[in-house]
Amino acid sequence: MSITGIKGMNDILPRDIAAWQFLEQQARQIFHTYGYKEIRVPVVEKTELFCRSIGETTDIVEKEMYTFEDKGNNSITLRPEGTAPVMRSFIQHKLYNETDSSKLYYMGPMFRYERPQKGRYRQFHQIGAEAIGEDDPRIDAQVLAMLSHFFEAVGITSVSLQINSLGCSACRPGYRDTLIEFLTRHIEDLCDDCKRRYATNPLRVLDCKAAGCKEATAHAPSVLEHLCPGCEQHFSSLQQHLHALEVEFEINSRMVRGLDYYTKTTFEMVTTALGSQNAVAAGGRYDGLIQELGGPELPGIGFAMGVERLVLLLGEDKLRAEPPQLFIAALGERAQNDGFILLNRLQRQNVYAHMDFSGKSLKAQMRLANRLGSTFALVLGDNELDTGSARLKCMAEGTEQEVKLDALAPTIAAALDAGAA
Ligand code: ATP
Ligand code: MG
């Protein structure tokens, strides 16, 4: 009996890797220009870190965490998200004392015990960014501009940006009470989960996907009407800055997010293309989190994008792997040997070149070149080796050109450049 992988935890196969590498490379490149540096933190942390940051009554902590006891009877958890571990590391290594470590990004696997379905898995991947230390709404706008820039760069247009403000410790408690009062009057219409949690985490009811809860809360008081002057000013400045940067957005006063640490600005990139898995990226401001985790009183804002969901939205052209640039078809023993050396020389010159060593006929070698989608093919026999030149065939067009064997790399590079132009 063969052993299979664990339910909801996927292999990312070579045929799909082009899309992943494209997204990762675009993120690295774009985040770099906004001043972000990569940070890599472990995939497991002390359980307490997530309980204290994400919140005891959130879905993640209540239902979705992979929590184990290790051999030393310590409770450890596979990270369900990236912000808490990154902040833990930021505090532990006193990165706030360094001039250039306040904008951080990360990418890697996250783990949540959820019911697997399209766009929802138990091991999934996030690319996220955090900007620590400033609460100016320009920072919020810049983070959202960077997020929009990323979506434009990778060619995903079927998304829209929704923003909201959840207020701060001055105004949220008042709103919370008002909301509890409203929910108490509608308790009969709420789902069992919400009946249980509305008193401890009333904002979550607004985010519940159950039809009854949606209907019951359709006329719930809006958080935006309960902001204190400071939060109101912050949210309206954010909108002005977004207009100035030409970032399109909609306001969604019902968006509350599933993590307790958010304050003021929250946002989601949503799509209609993935059914109920409609959030592709999400984030917000977390001005109290660093202090809550034992660090200095520093504000922060960040987001995480779900890579599996991004991949599902990518255009066909981004999913294709790059084919070999050259296939060397060798005729005879001498060409096999000299071709083998030529192959290596080309590879050292950064040409993606391929050759078959199994002694196939010329016809079979050309068939293989075709199947691999190689851009060019070159037939190498005694004659070519004697004269030092051969015919380079463009597989798509069927055209050929004479090339010097010792000038193959620059010739191919030039031909590829001309093709791309
Ligand atoms: P959802 O409402 O879909 O459960 P969430 O609010 O739990 O999302 P966040 O914690 O904000 O999600 O995570 C940020 C992003 O990570 C999401 O927008 C989504 O793209 C992705 N994500 C979250 N959970 C999963 C999962 N189980 N499988 C795949 N991607 C996920
Ligand atoms: Mg979730």
Side-chain angles (χ1 to χ4, degrees):
M1 194 180 63
S2 62
I3 300 171
T4 56
I6 293 172
K7 185 177 169 195
M9 305 208 176
N10 301 317
D11 301 309
I12 300 154
L13 300 175
R15 61 168 173 262
D16 299 323
I17 209 71
W20 286 74
Q21 291 178 341
F22 169 72
L23 292 167
E24 289 162 3
Q25 168 243 321
Q26 288 289 313
R28 285 184 195 287
Q29 196 176 318
I30 291 169
F31 294 180
H32 170 75
T33 64
Y34 289 79
Y36 287 74
K37 298 225 148 48
E38 186 177 0
I39 182 165
R40 301 185 187 187
V41 293
V43 294
V44 286
E45 296 277 350
K46 291 178 183 164
T47 301
E48 190 195 346
L49 173 68
F50 301 112
C51 298
R52 231 207 286 170
S53 54
I54 299 170
E56 297 278 2
T57 59
T58 59
D59 278 359
I60 295 180
V61 172
E62 272 187 349
K63 301 192 272 205
E64 299 173 358
M65 294 212 301
Y66 277 90
T67 298
F68 307 93
E69 275 205 357
D70 69 7
K71 291 190 198 299
N73 299 327
N74 307 300
S75 179
I76 61 173
T77 295
L78 291 178
R79 62 182 185 191
E81 59 105 50
T83 301
V86 168
M87 293 311 133
R88 193 264 313 135
S89 175
F90 180 83
I91 297 164
Q92 184 175 338
H93 301 285
K94 300 192 169 58
L95 296 186
Y96 43 83
N97 288 333
E98 296 177 21
T99 347
D100 210 12
S101 300
S102 57
K103 285 179 168 178
L104 305 168
Y105 77 90
Y106 59 87
M107 41 183 81
M110 305 294 159
F111 305 84
R112 293 185 196 176
Y113 197 83
E114 301 203 68
R115 195 169 63 79
Q117 52 198 289
K118 184 181 176 191
R120 190 176 295 284
Y121 312 100
R122 290 180 173 177
Q123 175 173 325
F124 63 99
H125 296 75
Q126 287 185 338
I127 299 177
E130 314 286 354
I132 307 161
E134 284 184 82
D135 61 4
D136 191 295
R138 283 187 191 84
I139 290 291
D140 305 43
Q142 194 180 49
V143 164
L144 290 171
M146 182 170 87
L147 186 63
S148 301
H149 180 174
F150 175 85
F151 276 84
E152 267 172 50
V154 301
I156 299 178
T157 51
S158 57
V159 287
S160 58
L161 174 64
Q162 300 193 341
I163 63 169
N164 192 21
S165 174
L166 293 184
C168 64
S169 55
C171 51
R172 179 110 60 98
Y175 172 65
R176 197 174 168 272
D177 290 346
T178 311
L179 187 59
I180 292 179
E181 198 182 301
F182 174 88
L183 293 172
T184 310
R185 280 185 274 124
H186 294 83
I187 181 136
E188 287 315 315
D189 304 321
L190 303 182
C191 72
D192 289 345
D193 267 351
C194 287
K195 276 196 180 98
R196 183 175 50 81
R197 71 184 164 195
Y198 85 99
T200 46
N201 202 345
L203 272 71
R204 278 301 270 157
V205 180
L206 297 180
D207 196 37
C208 183
K209 306 226 161 65
C213 295
K214 276 190 182 164
E215 204 176 312
T217 58
H219 301 290
S222 160
V223 63
L224 293 177
E225 279 156 23
H226 292 79
L227 297 180
C228 62
C231 287
E232 203 175 84
Q233 176 60 41
H234 194 274
F235 192 54
S236 84
S237 300
L238 164 63
Q239 293 171 54
Q240 281 166 22
H241 295 313
L242 287 174
H243 286 308
L245 299 182
E246 294 177 30
V247 176
E248 284 179 34
F249 64 90
E250 292 157 23
I251 295 174
N252 175 1
S253 64
R254 295 176 57 91
M255 186 226 306
V256 296
R257 313 281 311 114
L259 301 89
D260 282 356
Y261 51 61
Y262 287 122
T263 53
K264 292 185 183 156
T265 312
T266 55
F267 52 91
E268 283 186 355
M269 268 294 181
V270 297
T271 175
T272 48
L274 296 178
S276 61
Q277 276 56 258
N278 67 345
V280 195
R285 186 163 270 292
Y286 43 83
D287 290 349
L289 177 62
I290 295 174
Q291 201 176 20
E292 174 64 33
L293 292 175
E297 199 184 332
L298 286 173
I301 178 169
F303 64 80
M305 308 188 277
V307 185
E308 282 81 357
R309 294 184 195 179
L310 291 172
V311 170
L312 287 168
L313 295 176
L314 271 189
E316 277 292 318
D317 56 324
K318 306 295 190 314
L319 305 177
R320 270 195 297 274
E322 266 186 55
Q325 295 167 326
L326 176 69
F327 188 96
I328 301 176
L331 263 177
E333 182 75 20
R334 182 178 159 214
Q336 283 270 350
N337 286 330
D338 288 9
F340 176 59
I341 296 164
L342 176 64
L343 176 76
N344 186 247
R345 199 164 73 222
L346 290 168
Q347 288 164 334
R348 282 175 172 269
Q349 291 172 296
N350 295 320
V351 178
Y352 174 13
H354 197 98
M355 200 176 154
D356 176 73
F357 302 122
S358 67
K360 286 186 175 52
S361 69
L362 181 61
K363 207 167 148 202
Q365 290 185 63
M366 292 308 278
R367 257 205 314 270
L368 178 58
N370 229 330
R371 269 212 313 278
L372 290 169
S374 185
T375 311
F376 295 103
L378 179 111
V379 178
L380 200 65
D382 288 345
N383 191 26
E384 284 75 15
L385 292 168
D386 289 340
T387 58
S389 76
R391 299 191 73 75
L392 183 68
K393 180 176 179 183
C394 170
M395 299 292 281
E397 318 258 316
T399 52
E400 294 192 355
Q401 59 172 309
E402 194 73 23
V403 287
K404 292 249 168 290
L405 291 180
D406 55 12
L408 257 177
T411 309
I412 289 174
L416 288 171
D417 263 2

